[in-house]
Amino acid sequence: MTLLGFLMVTVYLLNILFALMLIFISRKSASSTWAWLFVLFFLPVIGFIFYLLLGRNLQKKHFVRWHAVQQEESIEAFQDQHSALAEGTYEFPNEITKKHQGLIKMNVDYNHALLSSKNDVAILAEGKEKFRSVIEDIENAKQTIHIQYYIYKMDEVGKSIFNALVKKAKEGIEVKMIYDDLGSRTLRKKDLKKLMDAGGQVEAFFSSYLKLFNPRINFRNHRKLIIIDGRIGYIGGFNVGKEYACLDDEIGYWRDTHLRIEGNSVYNMQAHFLFDWHQARNEELREVEQRYFPSFTVDADTPVQIVSSGPDTDFESIKNSYIRMILSAKKYVYIQTPYYVPDEAFLHAIQIAASSGVDVRIMTPEKTDHPFVYGANSAYGGDLLESGGRVYRYKKGFLHAKMLVIDDELATIGTANIDVRSFSLNFEINAILYDERLAIKCRELFEADIKESFELTKELFEKRKTWTRVRESVSRLLSPIL
């Protein structure tokens, strides 16, 4: 046997071994397993290297355990709400929460997501408005500033927030900052030295010396949170960088959605930040300082649930919340997402809603930052068209908003996209708003964005080019691992 023949046989045998390991050891879903087998078949050995980086499950033992999930009062509040919902004695704050009590109970039972009824919520749909509000709240902070972003760039926008943080740290305010090591790969420790010298604390989430070969490269902290004095919270789709403020000429207009919340639901946001903080530091959190959860009141009554998901949980709470909302809709379901690569459960739910006469509309960007994602967006958009739904492509700029609204009753805004990565791989966080006024505002935002979009009709979909159809087919096969 020649050397070349020996190498080919070796590669073939190794590929069979890798495939057997994938099937019998990894215990992935059938769709994900087939997608990885597809990669192994066409990219022998190299495909397995990709699998080592992107395909392995993260074992629960690698996660920090939180021995005291929240302060004692919050644990008691959770138990009380859990029991009242189970016994049917819970007093719902409005008719919408009463109507959707199944969704509330599901998130309380499986995500410890308390429903908080005392919140003042503002929707921020422009980057400049969001950053201006953030800096103002930072400047007015009295005790603590906790900030967490998947992407933080030290450009003109990042520096404006950073300088405000440094100033407050010098004043003696506690400043804690988390950034994702991969998402913020352009951020260097020396860029943050000024804050640390001023007394601020900084941690990178799942850091590695070799960022592109990080063994946890597939499990990223995609959350965007700011918690100020334990009473004001920001949550949504905006990261930190000039493109998010529409200051990048190459990218152009950036369409996103964020929330500013003042109220008791901020306690849950604070709890998630503290968990991630200790996870980033690889230390256990055994007790929570009461000062992080101050007592206060707000003159507003918007019910909110903060729902999280990630590889550290067994229940895909955000995805299941999406599905529950979709299947409860009677009039309409409007969805905005930059990545529409649904799994089978979500796809079936959206098809059932559309085929039942519900006005289902999905909006994605005309241009995406990933060729396979564009193909998957197109392919699954075609499935929705076949079920009677409507698909829009946003063309004014890049659509990055993650929003779902139904029936002028419920809306959810947060960090989770409609894809497997957000459903099960990334650490994500969303706010569910049980409020007619805010749901109408979300619907109006969607309708305004329709004017900046074109509708992908069945006729246009059927006229797509052969190369587009091929790309869609490949993207659909790879969708469980995109």
Side-chain angles (χ1 to χ4, degrees), residues 126 243-244 246-256 336-338 363-369 374 377 392-401 448-454:
E126 295 286 343
E243 63 266 42
Y244 305 101
C246 304
L247 298 176
D248 189 314
D249 294 335
E250 184 177 345
I251 294 177
Y253 186 76
W254 189 279
R255 174 67 182 87
D256 220 325
Q336 288 181 317
T337 178
M363 186 181 294
T364 59
E366 181 182 17
K367 297 181 180 179
T368 68
D369 52 1
Y374 181 86
N377 281 354
Y392 296 89
R393 297 281 188 258
Y394 186 78
K395 61 182 182 180
K396 183 178 179 180
F398 187 72
L399 177 71
H400 192 252
D449 289 333
I450 286 178
K451 298 176 182 178
E452 304 293 346
S453 308
F454 71 88

Side-chain angles (χ1 to χ4, degrees), residues 303-338:
V304 178
Q305 266 186 314
I306 303 297
V307 181
S308 65
S309 63
D312 56 334
T313 63
D314 296 320
F315 198 73
E316 297 175 340
S317 294
I318 293 179
K319 183 191 80 171
N320 292 333
S321 295
Y322 284 161
I323 291 174
R324 179 81 191 200
M325 290 174 67
I326 290 166
L327 293 179
S328 68
K330 301 294 188 293
K331 300 175 183 177
Y332 74 84
V333 177
Y334 291 172
I335 299 173
Q336 288 181 317
T337 178

Side-chain angles (χ1 to χ4, degrees), residues 132-274:
R132 184 165 53 246
S133 179
V134 164
I135 292 174
E136 181 179 345
D137 283 331
I138 288 174
E139 290 175 343
N140 292 326
K142 300 294 188 294
Q143 293 183 323
T144 60
I145 302 170
H146 296 161
I147 180 169
Q148 173 178 3
Y149 277 97
Y150 174 64
I151 296 174
Y152 195 107
K153 295 182 179 180
M154 200 60 77
D155 54 21
E156 55 196 279
V157 172
K159 286 179 180 178
S160 65
I161 295 175
F162 183 75
N163 290 337
L165 294 174
V166 172
K167 180 181 177 182
K168 299 306 290 189
K170 288 180 178 179
E171 294 175 5
I173 304 300
E174 177 186 284
V175 177
K176 284 182 165 69
M177 177 180 178
I178 306 172
Y179 64 92
D180 186 82
D181 194 55
L182 181 65
S184 302
R185 53 188 172 274
T186 62
L187 196 63
R188 298 166 296 179
K189 280 289 186 181
K190 68 178 184 179
D191 295 329
L192 304 166
K193 186 175 183 301
K194 193 175 179 181
L195 176 59
M196 292 185 284
D197 289 344
Q201 301 176 69
V202 180
E203 292 292 339
F205 196 89
F206 280 179
S207 61
S208 173
Y209 290 110
L210 299 174
K211 294 188 179 184
L212 295 179
F213 292 93
N214 189 330
R216 296 176 293 188
I217 195 172
N218 214 31
F219 304 95
R220 307 318 310 172
N221 199 312
H222 198 236
R223 294 168 183 161
K224 296 99 176 166
L225 290 173
I226 299 178
I227 302 98
I228 296 172
D229 292 337
R231 61 179 295 161
I232 297 172
Y234 287 83
I235 181 173
F238 283 105
N239 288 293
V240 175
K242 66 180 183 180
E243 63 266 42
Y244 305 101
C246 304
L247 298 176
D248 189 314
D249 294 335
E250 184 177 345
I251 294 177
Y253 186 76
W254 189 279
R255 174 67 182 87
D256 220 325
T257 310
H258 222 80
L259 297 175
R260 180 191 185 273
I261 303 175
E262 184 172 4
N264 292 334
S265 66
V266 176
Y267 291 161
N268 209 333
M269 297 164 64
Q270 180 78 287
H272 282 292
F273 176 89
L274 293 173

Side-chain angles (χ1 to χ4, degrees), residues 389-446:
R390 301 175 72 177
V391 177
Y392 296 89
R393 297 281 188 258
Y394 186 78
K395 61 182 182 180
K396 183 178 179 180
F398 187 72
L399 177 71
H400 192 252
K402 303 96 165 54
M403 182 185 76
L404 189 155
V405 57
I406 69 164
D407 292 354
D408 287 355
E409 294 178 352
L410 294 182
T412 180
I413 293 170
T415 68
N417 298 304
I418 310 297
D419 60 12
V420 174
R421 186 165 301 280
S422 282
F423 291 162
S424 60
L425 298 178
N426 287 341
F427 295 84
E428 306 280 4
I429 191 163
N430 274 34
I432 302 178
L433 312 173
Y434 298 83
D435 182 86
E436 181 182 10
R437 178 184 64 85
L438 293 173
I440 291 173
K441 173 66 173 176
C442 289
R443 171 175 58 79
E444 291 173 343
L445 284 172
F446 188 97

